[in-house]
Amino acid sequence: MKFLYVESWIISSVFLIDIIFGDPKRFHPVIWIGNFIDRIEKFFRKKLSNEKLSGVLLFLTVTGIVFLSASIFIHLLDKLTGISDLFSVIAYLLLIFTGSLFIALRGLINEARRINNLLITGNLKSARQSLCALVGRDAETLTAGKIKTAVIESLAENLSDAVIAPLFYFIVGGFPFLVLYKTVNTLDSMVGYKNNKYIKFGWFSAKMDDLFNYIPARISGLMIVLSSLFLLGFSTAKNSFRIMLRDGKKHPSPNSGIPEAAMAGALKIKLGGPNYYGGVLVEKPYIGENSDIVESRIDINFNVIETTINIIILSSFLFLFITLIIRSLL
C-alpha cells in the first residue's frame, strides 16, 4: 500500500461501494471535518483581527492537519498489511470503505429523485423544504419548474464537486489527496461566501477551491457532452458542447458554469437567472436556450430530472473507465 498511489481496483471498488450503498447518516468524516473547521474558525477570529490573514491561516491549518491525519491513516494501514494476509484484507477493506465516504454520487441521486417524486405527487411544500439540502437559494416561493431547474443545476455542478473531482484527486494522489480535496471543498462550502461575514475571511478558501476544481469541472463538462452522445444522440451532444463553450464562462463561478452549460445544452433548456439568497436578489446570467418554453417544458416533462440523473451516472462511469484505461497505458 503506497502513500500517494492507489491501485485501480481499489478506486473502482470505492466508486461502486458509494453508488450501491451511499453514505451513512451518522459518523461521517466530512461532518467531522466541518466541525473541525468551525472550531478553528472561532479560534482565529478570536485571536486575530486581520480577517484575510485569519482566513489564510484557517485554510493552511485545517488542510495541513487533515492531510497529515490521512497520511497517518495510510501509514497505519500499510503496517497492517505486513502483519498477515488476514490483516492485509482488513486494511484494504478499511481503505475502500473510508474512501467511499468521500464520494457522494448515490446521495446526490437519492436526493434529486426524492424531490422529483414529491413534485410528481404534487407535494410542492415538501419539495421546497427538501431542496434546501441541495442548494443555497431561497425556496419558499419557487414554482415546480424552478425547483426542477435548481435540481438540474445542482446535479450538474455536483457531478464535479461530489464525484469527478474526488475521483480525480484519488487517482492523482491517493487517499491523502482525496481527503485534501474534500477538505478544500468543505472549507469553501462553509466560509467561501461573498457576504459581510466571509467576504474577507473566506476569500482564500474560495480561491483555492476554484483552483482545485478547475480541471475536474472541465472534465465534467466533457463527460456530460459524451454521455449525451450515447443517451440522446449526436445532435444533442453537439448542442451540449456548443452551449458549454458559449455559456460556460457566464456563471459567477469560474468552474460551476462549465458542467451547468453542458447540461443545459444536453437538455435544451435554460438554467441560471435571478434567484433570492437569504432574502437578497442575486442577478445571475441565463445559461442555455429556449427561455420562452423552459418553464412549461420542465413542468410537463416529469422525466427531465431522471434524464439528468442518467447523464450524471453515465458521466461518472465514463470518467472512471476512460481514466483507468489511460492510467493503464502510461
Side-chain angles (χ1 to χ4, degrees), residues 1 77 80-94:
M1 188 175 292
L77 291 184
L80 207 60
T81 61
I83 297 176
S84 68
D85 290 342
L86 175 61
F87 279 100
S88 180
V89 171
I90 293 172
Y92 281 110
L93 288 176
L94 282 172

Side-chain angles (χ1 to χ4, degrees), residues 71-315:
S71 301
I72 292 173
F73 178 72
I74 289 298
H75 177 71
L76 293 175
L77 291 184
D78 183 55
K79 292 294 183 182
L80 207 60
T81 61
I83 297 176
S84 68
D85 290 342
L86 175 61
F87 279 100
S88 180
V89 171
I90 293 172
Y92 281 110
L93 288 176
L94 282 172
L95 177 58
I96 291 169
F97 171 73
T98 308
S100 71
L101 299 178
F102 294 92
I103 313 293
L105 179 58
R106 170 51 58 189
L108 187 63
I109 293 169
N110 288 347
E111 199 61 36
R113 281 182 173 154
R114 190 162 72 89
I115 295 172
N116 195 39
N117 289 334
L118 289 170
L119 291 174
I120 292 173
T121 58
N123 197 340
L124 191 59
K125 182 179 179 181
S126 295
R128 288 168 176 162
Q129 293 172 345
S130 298
L131 184 65
C132 296
L134 282 180
V135 300
R137 72 194 64 180
D138 299 346
E140 293 82 4
T141 61
L142 293 183
T143 64
K146 290 294 185 181
I147 291 173
K148 288 191 176 185
T149 300
V151 171
I152 293 167
E153 290 175 6
S154 180
L155 285 169
E157 180 181 352
N158 281 295
L159 169 64
S160 177
D161 291 357
V163 186
I164 287 183
L167 285 172
F168 175 82
Y169 285 103
F170 196 29
I171 293 168
V172 169
F175 183 76
F177 270 81
L178 167 64
V179 178
L180 175 63
Y181 168 76
K182 289 304 294 184
T183 303
V184 173
N185 193 240
T186 305
L187 276 162
D188 178 64
S189 68
M190 292 182 66
V191 304
Y193 297 102
K194 294 181 179 180
N195 53 29
N196 290 334
K197 183 178 180 180
Y198 289 114
I199 187 67
K200 293 181 180 180
F201 188 85
W203 72 277
F204 190 74
S205 293
K207 291 296 182 182
M208 293 304 296
D209 184 71
D210 289 342
L211 178 63
F212 270 75
N213 279 300
Y214 188 86
I215 294 175
R218 282 144 186 82
I219 293 174
S220 299
L222 291 174
M223 291 302 103
I224 290 172
V225 172
L226 187 58
S227 296
S228 64
L229 173 64
F230 288 112
L231 295 174
L232 303 170
F234 177 77
S235 63
T236 300
K238 182 179 177 181
N239 191 62
S240 176
F241 187 67
R242 179 178 67 86
I243 297 298
M244 181 181 73
L245 293 180
R246 192 193 72 182
D247 294 351
K249 295 181 179 179
K250 288 183 178 180
H251 199 283
S253 165
N255 299 316
S256 299
I258 304 297
E260 286 188 22
M263 188 64 74
L267 299 174
K268 298 179 181 178
I269 60 173
K270 181 163 283 192
L271 302 174
N275 277 292
Y276 283 90
Y277 295 82
V280 179
L281 179 63
V282 178
E283 294 284 352
K284 291 184 179 180
Y286 283 105
I287 295 173
E289 295 175 332
N290 301 324
S291 60
D292 56 330
I293 63 170
V294 61
E295 186 78 11
S296 61
R297 174 173 179 171
I298 292 180
D299 277 336
I300 64 175
N301 185 5
F302 289 118
N303 291 322
V304 69
I305 290 181
E306 198 61 40
T307 300
T308 308
I309 289 171
N310 290 337
I311 291 174
I312 294 300
I313 293 173
L314 182 56
S315 296

